[in-house]
Amino acid sequence: MAGEPGLLRTLAEDLAVVVDRDPSLGSRWEAVGHTGLSAVWAHRVAHELYRRRWRLAARIVARVSRRRTGVEIHPGTVLGRRVFIDHGSSVVIGQTAVVGDDVTIYQQVTLGAVGWWTDNHRPPGARRHPVVGDGVVLGANATVLGPVTIGDHAMVGAMATVTEDLPPGARVYAARSVVRPAPPLKTVSGPDPDPGAGPGTGPAAVPVSVSDAVRALASAGSW
């Protein structure tokens, strides 16, 4: 990451990047209420308190921000400049994570640790969370676990899981869903019509039951 500017300049850059990257916003005033921006701004305050060892105050700010925005960023996380969190819901970023400049994070992204069963055996102060390089894009529901490094300008696609280092410019995509044609819809005939009825009054088609439809899908191998 580049040299650290003053806090006010950093906050102004955060606002500008939201206006630039979110086409749903019509003005800077509208951008002030953006959920991701609120989460980033709150974290910058919490992180400053954390650095000064006002840990309880930092955690209170982070907790209030989580309740208001749905974004959970540990006060110890290091965020670079112009980090853009779009939508924001259910984003989780751990204590020792480092996020570079110009990173885009979509909803439900996790930058987490492997788990206590591994982390409890690491040396004191060892990194447990990812380092994300500059210009990285993390798609919706992407998960990056452990002390891995994501190279600059890499892209982690929606639903992808990363547990090892990625080189700069790498692309990671989750497996696509399998699309199969729907089986024909079964119908059952109703009672025979009145012989004296007029034309166009043949047997009524009654939709198959839900249980029959489930069995038909299973037998066709659609799950």
Side-chain angles (χ1 to χ4, degrees):
M1 293 183 290
E4 295 295 328
L7 179 59
L8 291 180
R9 180 180 173 186
T10 300
L11 298 180
E13 289 180 343
D14 293 334
L15 175 61
V17 78
V18 169
V19 174
D20 182 58
R21 297 187 192 179
D22 192 337
S24 71
L25 300 174
S27 67
R28 297 174 72 90
W29 285 111
E30 190 177 352
V32 170
H34 190 276
T35 301
L37 178 64
S38 298
V40 169
W41 277 356
H43 173 73
R44 302 221 186 268
V45 174
H47 183 67
E48 185 63 26
L49 294 172
Y50 189 86
R51 284 198 319 109
R52 298 184 182 188
R53 297 189 176 277
W54 297 342
R55 301 293 175 87
L56 180 58
R59 287 187 176 274
I60 290 173
V61 172
R63 179 61 61 88
V64 171
S65 174
R66 178 189 177 187
R67 290 179 62 88
R68 295 294 299 270
T69 66
V71 177
E72 181 174 348
I73 308 176
H74 191 282
T77 300
V78 176
L79 287 189
R81 299 166 62 181
R82 299 176 299 276
V83 173
F84 175 52
I85 300 179
D86 199 4
H87 302 295
S89 179
S90 301
V91 168
V92 177
I93 306 178
Q95 177 188 17
T96 62
V98 178
V99 179
D101 299 337
D102 302 299
V103 171
T104 299
I105 301 174
Y106 287 93
Q107 67 271 19
Q108 298 181 318
V109 165
T110 298
L111 301 178
V114 175
W116 61 264
W117 49 89
T118 297
D119 295 332
N120 284 352
H121 298 290
R122 301 187 191 278
R127 183 164 60 88
R128 297 174 286 112
H129 301 93
V131 169
V132 178
D134 296 341
V136 171
V137 176
L138 301 168
N141 206 23
T143 301
V144 185
L145 300 179
V148 300
T149 299
I150 308 300
D152 293 349
H153 304 291
M155 179 180 294
V156 180
M159 302 290 291
T161 299
V162 176
T163 57
E164 59 187 32
D165 293 349
L166 295 181
R171 298 291 185 266
V172 180
Y173 302 106
R176 293 187 179 183
S177 301
V178 177
V179 180
R180 295 176 176 165
L185 181 64
K186 290 172 55 181
T187 59
V188 294
S189 298
D192 292 336
D194 183 352
T201 57
V206 181
V208 71
S209 67
V210 173
S211 59
D212 287 340
V214 170
R215 283 193 290 269
L217 289 170
S219 63
S222 297
W223 344 126

